[in-house]
């Protein structure tokens, strides 16, 4: 928890299991197990009571004798979202949701920036940085998102013209979209065997984030979406990940994302990602 003090942010007392999770020791559940096992001390005293609080500014917390410090740097995570997962951090109906795929124990407060439909695959950004998340979603600096859509029917390039001009949907006009038809090899690289004579693959770039926007845009030009995949979010590119796995953004990617909120057309980070992903 944070408080303003003389204009500066101060961390105020928090539950011990939250402190341990925020420090990256274990998930919140795992931290509770460490506490009940008597492995956690605060100022030298073993603490097993789960509701106990600590003040990170003054208390010394140890686990098995090792001092633990609060990891308060914000998390920035890219997930390769699979189909079949809702973009929500919890679902009362217990349906699969993206929260199951990202390290929420290590980063309490992690949330998705924007949403992808349940059947949409591809790049989904998560952060604990509420300010950046809000900026990225704010209509005045909505970053450009790139989608590949496999649509029903054979489509000619001229049929994309209404989208390039800015098509009007039932909730108002869309900004002009950059779009193009994909060649067969590009289409198969994304959609594999689903590409057939009665379908067309389209790349479409939009800088708004309206509900089902790409699907509604393609339906409006009489080519409903069969499959939808997001490859880019502003300067970020879906690289270095298998379906269902996540990775931390590189420092360069975080910097480019912050720059994109100043200049939405900032260049894509093209350096390939060499780190580990996590499934
Ligand atoms: N547009 C859609 O229609 N669906 C998505 O998931 C994202 C953009």
């Amino acid at each position: 928890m944070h408080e303003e003090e003389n204009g500066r942010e101060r961390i105020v007392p928090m539950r011990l299991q939250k402190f341990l999770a925020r420090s990256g020791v274990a998930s919140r559940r795992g931290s509770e197990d460490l506490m009940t096992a008597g492995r956690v001390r605060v100022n030298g005293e073993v603490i097993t009571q789960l509701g106990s609080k600590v003040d990170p500014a003054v208390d010394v917390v140890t686990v098995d004798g090792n001092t633990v410090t609060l990891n308060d740097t914000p998390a920035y995570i890219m997930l390769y979202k699979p189909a079949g997962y809702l973009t929500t951090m919890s679902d009362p109906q217990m349906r699969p949701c993206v929260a199951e795929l990202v390290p929420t124990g290590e980063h309490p407060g992690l949330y998705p920036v924007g949403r992808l439909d349940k059947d949409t695959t591809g790049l989904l950004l998560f952060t604990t940085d509420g300010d950046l998340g809000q900026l990225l979603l704010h209509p005045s600096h909505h970053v450009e998102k790139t989608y590949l859509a496999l649509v029903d029917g054979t489509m000619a390039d001229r049929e994309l013209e209404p989208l390039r001009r800015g098509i009007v949907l039932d909730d108002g006009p869309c900004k002009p979209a950059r779009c193009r038809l994909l060649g067969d090899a590009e289409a198969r690289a994304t959609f594999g065997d689903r590409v057939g004579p009665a379908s067309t693959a389209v790349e479409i770039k939009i800088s708004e984030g309206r509900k089902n926007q790409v699907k509604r845009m393609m339906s409006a030009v009489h080519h409903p979406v069969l499959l939808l995949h997001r490859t880019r979010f502003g300067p970020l590119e879906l690289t270095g990940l298998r379906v269902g796995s996540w990775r931390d953004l590189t420092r360069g990617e975080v910097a480019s994302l912050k720059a994109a909120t100043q200049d939405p057309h900032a260049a894509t980070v093209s350096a390939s990602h060499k780190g580990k992903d996590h499934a």
Side-chain angles (χ1 to χ4, degrees):
M1 203 197 291
H2 293 76
E3 241 181 18
E4 289 288 321
E5 189 185 65
N6 302 328
R8 289 184 53 201
E9 215 173 30
R10 190 178 97 80
I11 296 163
V12 298
M14 62 171 76
R15 283 170 174 254
L16 183 50
Q17 58 266 44
K18 181 173 176 181
F19 173 92
L20 293 169
R22 284 269 291 271
S23 309
V25 168
S27 66
R28 221 180 276 197
R29 195 55 237 289
S31 300
E32 290 176 358
D33 292 344
L34 290 172
M35 289 170 66
T36 49
R39 293 168 61 186
V40 182
R41 287 174 188 258
V42 177
N43 304 322
E45 189 189 334
V46 174
I47 303 290
T48 53
Q49 185 77 37
L50 294 183
S52 307
K53 291 198 168 182
V54 283
D55 184 342
V58 293
D59 293 323
V60 177
V61 179
T62 58
V63 175
D64 297 335
N66 300 311
T67 305
V68 175
T69 51
L70 194 63
N71 173 7
D72 211 31
T73 50
Y76 303 95
I77 282 170
M78 178 190 293
L79 171 72
Y80 188 153
K81 180 190 172 296
Y85 284 77
L86 295 172
T87 304
T88 175
M89 295 313 275
S90 68
D91 180 51
Q93 293 172 50
M94 306 298 284
R95 291 169 296 181
C97 55
V98 292
E100 296 160 31
L101 304 173
V102 290
T104 49
E106 253 172 77
H107 303 294
L110 197 63
Y111 74 97
V113 180
R115 64 184 295 281
L116 292 176
D117 295 338
K118 186 176 172 202
D119 55 352
T120 301
T121 58
L123 196 169
L124 186 60
L125 173 70
F126 288 77
T127 187
T128 54
D129 182 341
D131 294 340
L132 184 70
Q134 264 191 341
L135 277 175
L136 288 166
L137 293 179
H138 195 275
S140 63
H141 7 45
H142 243 301
V143 293
E144 187 174 76
K145 280 137 304 207
T146 305
Y147 296 90
L148 303 183
L150 188 69
V151 302
D152 193 26
T154 310
M155 200 171 184
D157 183 78
R158 63 182 155 69
E159 293 179 84
L160 294 171
E161 277 312 318
L163 306 179
R164 292 180 178 131
R165 280 197 299 271
I167 201 159
V168 179
L169 298 177
D170 50 12
D171 56 352
C174 295
K175 288 188 184 150
R178 296 202 285 151
C179 37
R180 68 181 176 101
L181 301 182
L182 295 188
D184 200 48
E186 273 182 299
R188 283 185 192 282
T190 303
F191 300 116
D193 292 346
R194 297 292 301 269
V195 178
S199 64
T200 308
V202 183
E203 179 186 78
I204 172 159
K205 294 172 185 274
I206 59 171
S207 56
E208 297 150 293
R210 279 148 61 178
K211 198 161 192 274
N212 304 133
Q213 189 168 348
V214 174
K215 290 178 185 165
R216 290 189 296 135
M217 288 167 80
M218 296 313 304
S219 289
V221 291
H222 312 295
H223 289 282
V225 167
L226 303 172
L227 296 171
L228 189 60
H229 176 72
R230 183 155 75 187
T231 57
R232 288 177 191 225
F233 182 89
L236 305 178
E237 206 176 344
L238 184 64
T239 55
L241 287 174
R242 290 166 292 130
V243 183
S245 64
W246 62 269
R247 66 172 175 85
D248 292 307
L249 297 193
T250 63
R251 279 186 195 194
E253 286 173 326
V254 174
S256 69
L257 207 50
K258 289 183 176 170
T261 63
Q262 315 296 319
D263 169 12
H265 302 294
T268 300
V269 179
S270 56
S272 67
H273 173 78
K274 300 209 176 63
K276 267 203 210 146
D277 69 4
H278 310 260

